Amino acid sequence: DAKTTQPNSMESNEEEPVHLPCNHSTISGTDYIHWYRQLPSQGPEYVIHGLTSNVNNRMASLAIAEDRKSSTLILHRATLRDAAVYYCILSGNEKLTFGTGTRLTIIP
Amino acid sequence: GAVVSQHPSRVICKSGTSVKIECRSLDFQATTMFWYRQFPKKSLMLMATSNEGSKATYEQGVEKDKFLINHASLTLSTLTVTSAHPEDSSFYICSAARGTGDIQYFGAGTRLSVL
């Protein structure tokens, strides 16, 4: 599976937007970009996924670079409940390979 | 929709005993279920993939005779840790997907402590 690179940690103020970056320079044409998040002592939760076009859902937006070598997860208005580890994962088949993710801390 | 229930949430057992963990998709049929293991402060590691009615496919390094997986129906998969030892203590998490390549929905996890 192609590898992704994410910052180990990020901080954001409550009620402000958060942009979580992910680099995936070796992405293949059939790889989807998935984002999951994991709250402490819980299983991961699906956030969003996309292939080429930007995607929006009730939780977040996903901005995908034109060359697909990077993407950004956007939380439009962070709340304390958004504090979690966010994983950016490439998947061309059914498997998900989790990296170390970005630990997002929300400052009240 | 898309709720996955995992039971038990926590189990403590003696070394040498077997432990069964259940994973149920409550409101959808899951053609494929996955089992992961997560050690403290580490990321999730895929253990095996199971398709309903078929034998599970184990990842390299995962002992299939120690971690028995059964996916007898489209809503239930079980993981049995046989003859558990302290090194098997971990956070075990299942996920379910409607079909190949679909979104995976995760259970809340089972924390196993082997004394």
Side-chain angles (χ1 to χ4, degrees):
Chain A
D1 292 325
K3 184 178 168 59
T4 63
T5 303
Q6 299 177 253
N8 288 332
S9 62
M10 289 183 63
E11 287 185 349
S12 179
N13 293 320
E14 192 177 11
E15 300 185 3
E16 290 187 356
V18 183
H19 290 234
L20 296 164
C22 181
N23 287 320
H24 29 78
S25 59
T26 59
I27 190 170
S28 73
T30 56
D31 283 338
Y32 279 80
I33 303 160
H34 296 256
W35 284 83
Y36 285 78
R37 70 181 185 181
Q38 186 177 24
L39 279 65
S41 299
Q42 294 189 29
E45 175 187 28
Y46 167 78
V47 178
I48 201 167
H49 78 289
L51 184 63
T52 56
S53 304
N54 294 344
V55 185
N56 299 295
N57 66 21
R58 63 175 181 82
M59 288 182 69
S61 295
L62 176 59
I64 302 172
E66 198 168 332
D67 64 5
R68 300 210 325 128
K69 293 185 176 182
S70 66
S71 60
T72 302
L73 178 70
I74 302 166
L75 306 179
H76 295 286
R77 191 167 168 271
T79 70
L80 295 178
R81 288 179 294 180
D82 292 320
V85 178
Y86 286 78
Y87 298 98
C88 169
I89 304 167
L90 303 183
S91 181
N93 53 34
E94 59 184 1
K95 290 186 183 181
L96 297 177
T97 301
F98 285 80
T100 54
T102 296
R103 182 173 299 279
L104 175 65
T105 300
I106 305 298
I107 302 168
Chain B
V3 178
V4 175
S5 173
Q6 192 172 336
H7 180 81
S9 59
R10 187 177 186 97
V11 58
I12 301 172
C13 70
K14 292 183 179 179
S15 185
T17 60
S18 294
V19 174
K20 180 184 283 189
I21 302 169
E22 290 188 350
C23 180
R24 294 181 184 272
S25 56
L26 297 186
D27 52 1
F28 67 101
Q29 293 188 325
T31 302
T32 309
M33 288 186 169
F34 305 84
W35 288 95
Y36 296 81
R37 180 167 53 181
Q38 185 174 31
F39 290 107
K41 300 190 186 304
K42 299 292 185 183
S43 192
L44 282 79
M45 296 296 294
L46 179 64
M47 299 175 67
T49 302
S50 74
N51 291 293
E52 185 263 339
S54 303
K55 287 185 179 179
T57 302
Y58 291 80
E59 295 298 301
Q60 192 172 9
V62 178
E63 299 175 59
K64 62 180 180 181
D65 294 330
K66 180 166 187 64
F67 299 100
L68 301 180
I69 292 171
N70 184 281
H71 191 167
S73 77
L74 287 172
T75 59
L76 174 65
S77 177
T78 60
L79 168 68
T80 302
V81 183
T82 62
S83 186
H85 291 284
E87 58 266 28
D88 298 322
S89 298
S90 188
F91 193 47
Y92 291 87
I93 308 168
C94 72
S95 71
R98 289 185 174 88
T100 302
D102 282 347
I103 295 167
Q104 290 186 30
Y105 298 96
F106 286 79
T110 296
R111 190 162 300 283
L112 171 64
S113 299
V114 184
L115 304 178

